[in-house]
Amino acid sequence: MKQGLLLHQWSPFQSSLTPPLATLDSTVTDQGLTARERRQLRNQSRESKAGYSWREEFEERLIKKPKKKPKSRSVDLNLDTLADSGPQWWIVRVSRVRGHETASLIARLLARNYPELEFKVYAPAVQEKRKLKNGTFSVKAKPIFPGCVFLWCVLNKEIHDFIRECDGVGGFVGSKVGNTKRQINRPRPVSADDMEAIFKQAKEEQENFDQAFVEKQQGEDSKLDGDDVVKSLTGSTRTGRSRKMGTLVNGKVTDKKLWKPGSIVRVVSGTFAEFVGNLKKVDRKTGKATVVLNLFGKDSLVDLYLNEIVAVTCDVNS
């Protein structure tokens, strides 16, 4: 009876221990496989999943996140590496007032000291034309980008240091590189698209100014023609002896507008009265004129006041 009871009590435990024995046998059989066979089984189980490919996923990760090469600080501090990119456009910082003169100086010094170097110096400016009171025109360059001059060349450390030592140059436009012990300003090139936009802007501004100047001149000419028509209708003539209106000389009226370099003038008062000479220069600010007079058989320059001379429009001997 006791043995039967013991058998009856152990029978449930034996039935419950059978599954672990089965799993143990399966692990033992799996451990008997080689590493290659186990790898093949894992790959098959992965590929069995619908729409999943671990190879493609791994390749996409490599493409999206390529390995970045570590950047050496010594390369940034070495300006000779700028020549590896070939000829580029660089921006040189110059004085805002004397930028055009500094650009001419850079071009002359580079041509003199580096005759084999191919370079271009470009200072974009608008050539402004103005009409002066004496009828002549003056042309003045107005910079589009004050304080900047564009240089096209193959830049290295030698050329960089040479340009920085020129008078009026403040350095190149770039960014600071290096560490706390040593820092330099590494020049940054200008892209080709930006330079094309700069060339286009300079051309458009020059065309707009020329067109505005022509329209202004046409308006002034039409205004002068209208004044002449009014004077002819009213019959007004300038026959007085007022210096502002004109002076009567040898039966003809002269005006101060006739005082141009090379014209014949006559001295009406002062030490050299009744002398006739050629007008050399007129300074309206000081109210004086330089006249060439024949004194003692020799041409001499004499400074006279404007109210002491009159312009001669006809031959004096007639």
Side-chain angles (χ1 to χ4, degrees):
M1 293 295 292
K2 292 181 179 179
Q3 291 179 356
L5 290 172
L6 290 173
L7 291 173
H8 181 72
Q9 290 176 354
W10 282 101
S11 60
F13 294 99
Q14 290 179 358
S15 60
S16 62
L17 289 174
T18 52
L21 290 174
T23 56
L24 182 62
D25 294 336
S26 63
T27 56
V28 170
T29 57
D30 290 342
Q31 290 179 357
L33 299 175
T34 61
R36 182 176 181 180
E37 292 174 350
R38 289 197 300 270
R39 185 165 58 252
Q40 289 179 355
L41 289 175
R42 287 196 301 269
N43 294 339
Q44 290 177 2
S45 63
R46 290 173 179 173
E47 292 176 356
S48 63
K49 297 179 181 180
Y52 177 80
S53 177
W54 66 272
R55 295 179 183 272
E56 295 179 358
E57 182 181 357
F58 184 74
E59 290 177 356
E60 289 178 359
R61 289 181 180 179
L62 290 178
I63 293 173
K64 291 181 179 180
K65 296 182 179 180
K67 292 184 178 180
K68 294 183 180 180
K69 296 182 179 180
K71 207 170 186 180
S72 177
R73 294 181 179 178
S74 61
V75 176
D76 293 337
L77 298 177
N78 186 11
L79 295 180
D80 288 331
T81 57
L82 296 174
D84 298 340
S85 59
Q88 297 283 342
W89 282 101
W90 313 92
I91 303 178
V92 183
R93 290 186 284 108
V94 297
S95 174
R96 297 174 63 91
V97 180
R98 303 180 60 185
H100 190 72
E101 298 178 3
T102 306
S104 302
L105 177 63
I106 293 174
R108 290 197 306 269
L109 293 178
L110 286 177
R112 183 187 306 169
N113 294 274
Y114 301 94
E116 297 180 356
L117 178 66
E118 295 183 2
F119 68 92
K120 298 177 184 177
V121 180
Y122 178 59
V126 177
Q127 303 297 327
E128 293 185 347
K129 186 184 293 185
R130 295 180 181 179
K131 187 176 181 180
L132 303 179
K133 293 182 179 179
N134 56 3
T136 60
F137 294 93
S138 67
V139 180
K140 185 179 180 181
K142 181 182 179 181
I144 300 177
F145 303 100
C148 295
V149 172
F150 297 89
L151 174 66
W152 180 86
C153 69
V154 178
L155 191 64
N156 53 22
K157 181 174 175 53
E158 183 180 0
I159 304 297
H160 174 271
D161 296 342
F162 177 80
I163 294 175
R164 285 200 61 182
E165 293 177 358
C166 296
D167 294 337
V169 175
F172 286 81
V173 175
S175 57
K176 292 284 186 181
V177 295
N179 50 24
T180 56
K181 294 182 179 180
R182 183 188 175 193
Q183 286 187 354
I184 63 172
N185 183 26
R186 186 178 178 87
R188 184 175 60 242
V190 185
S191 62
D193 296 337
D194 293 340
M195 290 305 303
E196 289 294 333
I198 291 172
F199 293 146
K200 184 178 180 181
Q201 180 181 355
K203 184 178 179 181
E204 290 178 354
E205 291 191 12
Q206 184 66 49
E207 291 176 353
N208 294 336
F209 180 82
D210 294 340
Q211 184 178 0
F213 180 78
V214 171
E215 294 177 354
K216 183 179 179 181
Q217 289 297 118
Q218 292 177 354
E220 291 179 356
D221 294 341
S222 61
K223 183 178 179 180
L224 292 175
D225 295 340
D227 294 341
D228 294 339
V229 171
V230 171
K231 291 177 182 178
S232 61
L233 292 175
T234 56
S236 61
T237 57
R238 307 173 76 179
T239 58
R241 288 185 176 271
S242 173
R243 290 189 180 89
K244 293 184 180 180
M245 296 299 295
T247 307
L248 187 64
V249 178
N250 293 331
K252 291 192 175 182
V253 178
T254 62
D255 194 275
K256 288 186 178 181
K257 292 183 179 180
L258 299 177
W259 290 346
K260 296 181 180 179
S263 61
I264 301 175
V265 295
R266 180 181 177 184
V267 184
V268 295
S269 62
T271 308
F272 303 97
E274 302 302 325
F275 275 79
V276 178
N278 294 328
L279 186 63
K280 183 72 174 179
K281 183 175 64 175
V282 177
D283 190 352
R284 299 186 181 275
K285 292 183 179 180
T286 59
K288 289 186 178 182
T290 303
V291 183
V292 181
L293 299 178
N294 190 356
L295 302 177
F296 307 102
K298 182 180 178 181
D299 292 337
S300 301
L301 298 177
V302 180
D303 292 334
L304 301 172
Y305 286 98
L306 296 179
N307 57 3
E308 295 180 352
I309 60 175
V310 292
V312 179
T313 59
C314 61
D315 190 4
V316 179
N317 297 327
S318 60

